[in-house]
Amino acid sequence: MDSPHSMAPGHIVAIGGAEDRTSDLEILRRVFALAPEGRDEVAVIATASGIPDEVLADYEGAFSRLGASRVHSLSIRDRRQAAEADTLRRIEQSGVIFFTGGDQLRLTNVLGGSPVLNTIRQRLQEGAVVAGTSAGAAAMPGTMIYNGAAADALRKGAVNMTFGLGFVDGLVIDSHFLERGRFTRLMEVGASNPEYLGVGLGEDAAVIIHPNRVLEAIGTGHVILVDSRDLASSNIAELSMGEAVAIEHLILHALVSGHGFDIEERRYLAPDTLAAATRGESA
Amino acid sequence: MDSPHSMAPGHIVAIGGAEDRTSDLEILRRVFALAPEGRDEVAVIATASGIPDEVLADYEGAFSRLGASRVHSLSIRDRRQAAEADTLRRIEQSGVIFFTGGDQLRLTNVLGGSPVLNTIRQRLQEGAVVAGTSAGAAAMPGTMIYNGAAADALRKGAVNMTFGLGFVDGLVIDSHFLERGRFTRLMEVGASNPEYLGVGLGEDAAVIIHPNRVLEAIGTGHVILVDSRDLASSNIAELSMGEAVAIEHLILHALVSGHGFDIEERRYLAPDTLAAATRGESA
């Protein structure tokens, strides 16, 4: 069927945080391998981070080891820097644009509507890979979670959301998902609007979002999918703020490396079917 | 349809821990109200607890306030005490038998096969209510979880299980479920054998297991049900110990007070249908 969502030619990689940056580099290796032929420069954007120099050094080391000809370390601390011509030029040269972790609200607050963000969207249309970890993953969809109760987020209003960076539609992404017990956050989002697939990324786990809107799990951790499309009932609209939300019927999947999911068809893809679904288009 | 599981005439109440013991006593009030007519003595068993005197004093105060004519505080620290005639007599007199929290393995290790446990089973057959919180809830089924990885328990072998106290069949119970992020524990159990319903109890939340095998959620927290009966596939049998488990298709429900679930029919019960399902048999 025709997808209602626009498909960029480039790949998106959303990482759950704490990915290996010093040893096998399993996830970052896949990110780098997805760059278009001959585009081996990498731009790393540390806007989300409170310690940009430290994380930029980490990623510069990692992508250099993987064979990047240049790694552009971009702090981009404010909206003025998000419009600098030199920064735009570095992004235009890059085959990989990578967002570090930190605070996703800082990311959207600084980059929303900026020339840097427009340039990244353009690069994605041209086939570049856009990747991000932790906050950098959470910010990728059109709507993002930026805060939520840790223990029981299944209370009306317990999850705070706003517009994200808009690289991908039709889903919501949460990171550090298993490690921080965030199942109830995606359950609340699912009850509030069952149309959107919940993607919960564990640490050292990631999804590649292929241009044909197939998800592929990579890394050593888990990718949990919370599919609310067949939600049978919920009391959420009747509640006052803070009251406990009831939910009848969500579907859960747990993906590990090599397993996938077709977003449009809501279909789980075991390794053999995943290979068929991504054949000929992956790097 | 006829149930494959035996049904005791008495009610079971499984509480997720940290229930209110000093204010409204909402959950404990329901427990006490389920006692058979005219049986207003309560036996509190603190075998699981490392601080039995402290918790016994708490529950003695709570059940006295609720109108218990006597509260029998039973530490039962070892197997010799689990056979004492005076203890058996106190349990035989009680309309409510209540298990405190602590360590469920201490509970089964001390009580398994004991005269005290046989007497409690007999009381349940005679219509007494058997209730427990935290470890006291987890130990109730025929098979119980006694340990499991906190963060990502969706690894082969990450959940440790053994025989429980055997008060109820067909399900597995986990407590402090939302507060300690235990979704992956019930997911792993579901992958290992999809026949058994996973019941995840939040704090200050509980389920009444009615004699007709209908679950009723009570309290201010959530009861999460992990229903694996329609599991489509999992790699668990092929993995080595410690490897990440993939799961295709589990069903989740989030119950709040007044909502229920029919265990045999695997049917969610909104408040109106729950009332019909429990009419005439509840205290």
Side-chain angles (χ1 to χ4, degrees):
Chain A
M1 72 175 199
D2 282 352
S3 165
H5 300 286
S6 59
M7 304 191 203
H11 290 77
I12 293 170
V13 185
I15 309 167
E19 74 283 0
D20 169 31
R21 294 162 210 170
T22 54
S23 169
D24 290 341
L25 309 175
E26 179 182 340
I27 292 173
L28 298 179
R29 186 182 308 277
R30 285 296 300 274
V31 168
F32 187 67
L34 290 168
E37 188 73 25
R39 302 301 294 257
D40 60 2
E41 297 187 25
V42 176
V44 181
I45 298 175
T47 304
S49 178
I51 46 168
D53 295 345
E54 193 174 311
V55 299
L56 286 168
D58 272 9
Y59 287 108
E60 185 161 349
F63 283 113
S64 295
R65 270 183 59 200
L66 291 171
S69 65
R70 292 184 67 185
V71 180
H72 304 285
S73 288
L74 305 173
S75 272
I76 315 182
R77 309 315 292 163
D78 54 36
R79 293 184 67 81
R80 187 187 53 76
Q81 291 178 12
E84 284 176 357
D86 181 60
T87 298
L88 301 183
R89 190 182 48 75
R90 289 169 188 269
I91 291 168
E92 284 162 1
Q93 288 168 216
S94 295
V96 175
I97 295 120
F98 188 94
F99 291 92
T100 72
D103 179 351
Q104 52 265 50
L105 206 53
R106 190 183 292 155
L107 206 48
T108 55
N109 172 258
V110 171
L111 298 185
S114 71
V116 156
L117 185 56
N118 290 335
T119 302
I120 298 168
R121 287 187 183 138
Q122 185 58 39
R123 290 297 296 132
L124 185 61
Q125 291 297 330
E126 293 163 358
V129 51
V130 174
T133 187
S134 188
M140 285 181 168
T143 306
M144 70 173 189
I145 297 171
Y146 68 89
N147 187 55
D152 181 358
L154 205 42
R155 303 260 167 188
K156 186 171 183 174
V159 176
N160 302 107
M161 300 176 77
T162 187
F163 292 104
L165 297 177
F167 297 135
V168 57
D169 289 327
L171 47 78
V172 60
I173 296 176
D174 210 351
S175 54
H176 305 284
F177 191 73
L178 298 94
E179 295 74 12
R180 300 187 189 171
R182 290 178 165 175
F183 282 78
T184 52
R185 291 166 43 140
L186 291 191
M187 292 169 74
E188 199 206 336
V189 175
S192 71
N193 191 333
E195 180 168 353
Y196 298 84
L197 180 68
V199 178
L201 303 171
E203 294 181 355
D204 202 28
V207 281
I208 301 172
I209 306 174
H210 289 270
N212 63 350
R213 295 183 64 75
V214 163
L215 298 179
E216 175 181 356
I218 60 173
T220 62
H222 279 102
V223 175
I224 305 291
L225 300 181
V226 180
D227 182 0
S228 314
R229 192 69 69 85
D230 294 331
L231 180 77
S233 72
S234 174
N235 61 354
I236 191 167
E238 282 75 50
L239 299 178
S240 300
M241 296 301 278
E243 286 187 325
V245 178
I247 293 177
E248 178 183 359
H249 201 281
L250 297 183
I251 297 169
L252 270 191
H253 306 285
L255 274 55
V256 299
S257 183
H259 292 233
F261 193 76
D262 186 313
I263 301 175
E264 300 309 324
E265 297 184 1
R266 288 289 200 269
R267 188 162 61 95
Y268 188 98
L269 303 170
D272 51 341
T273 49
L274 175 65
T278 59
R279 190 169 296 138
E281 60 93 321
S282 182
Chain B
M1 70 177 200
D2 282 352
S3 164
H5 300 287
S6 59
M7 304 190 203
H11 290 77
I12 292 170
V13 184
I15 309 167
E19 74 283 0
D20 169 31
R21 294 163 210 171
T22 54
S23 169
D24 289 341
L25 310 177
E26 180 182 340
I27 291 173
L28 298 180
R29 187 182 307 278
R30 285 297 299 275
V31 168
F32 187 67
L34 290 167
E37 188 74 24
R39 303 302 293 256
D40 61 0
E41 297 187 26
V42 175
V44 181
I45 297 175
T47 305
S49 177
I51 45 168
D53 295 345
E54 194 174 310
V55 300
L56 286 169
D58 273 9
Y59 286 108
E60 185 161 348
F63 283 113
S64 295
R65 270 182 60 200
L66 291 171
S69 63
R70 292 183 67 184
V71 180
H72 304 285
S73 288
L74 305 173
S75 274
I76 316 182
R77 309 316 290 163
D78 55 36
R79 293 184 67 80
R80 186 186 53 77
Q81 292 178 11
E84 283 177 358
D86 180 60
T87 299
L88 302 182
R89 191 181 48 73
R90 290 168 188 269
I91 292 168
E92 283 163 1
Q93 289 169 213
S94 295
V96 175
I97 295 120
F98 188 93
F99 290 92
T100 72
D103 178 351
Q104 53 265 50
L105 206 51
R106 190 183 292 155
L107 207 47
T108 54
N109 171 258
V110 171
L111 298 185
S114 70
V116 156
L117 184 56
N118 289 336
T119 302
I120 297 168
R121 288 187 183 138
Q122 184 59 40
R123 290 298 296 133
L124 185 61
Q125 291 298 330
E126 293 163 358
V129 50
V130 173
T133 187
S134 190
M140 285 181 169
T143 306
M144 70 173 191
I145 297 171
Y146 67 89
N147 187 55
D152 182 357
L154 205 41
R155 304 261 166 188
K156 187 172 183 174
V159 176
N160 302 105
M161 301 175 77
T162 188
F163 292 103
L165 296 178
F167 298 135
V168 57
D169 289 327
L171 47 79
V172 61
I173 296 175
D174 210 352
S175 54
H176 305 283
F177 192 73
L178 298 94
E179 295 74 12
R180 301 188 188 170
R182 291 180 164 173
F183 282 78
T184 53
R185 294 169 35 143
L186 291 190
M187 293 169 73
E188 200 209 334
V189 175
S192 70
N193 190 334
E195 180 168 353
Y196 297 86
L197 180 69
V199 178
L201 304 170
E203 294 181 356
D204 203 28
V207 282
I208 300 171
I209 306 174
H210 289 270
N212 62 351
R213 295 183 63 76
V214 163
L215 298 179
E216 175 181 355
I218 60 173
T220 63
H222 278 102
V223 175
I224 305 292
L225 301 182
V226 181
D227 182 0
S228 314
R229 193 69 70 84
D230 294 331
L231 180 77
S233 71
S234 174
N235 63 354
I236 192 167
E238 281 75 52
L239 299 178
S240 301
M241 297 301 279
E243 286 187 325
V245 177
I247 293 177
E248 177 182 1
H249 202 280
L250 296 184
I251 297 170
L252 269 191
H253 308 284
L255 274 55
V256 299
S257 184
H259 292 233
F261 193 77
D262 185 314
I263 301 175
E264 300 310 323
E265 297 183 2
R266 288 289 199 269
R267 188 162 61 95
Y268 187 99
L269 303 170
D272 51 340
T273 48
L274 174 65
T278 57
R279 189 168 299 138
E281 60 92 321
S282 182

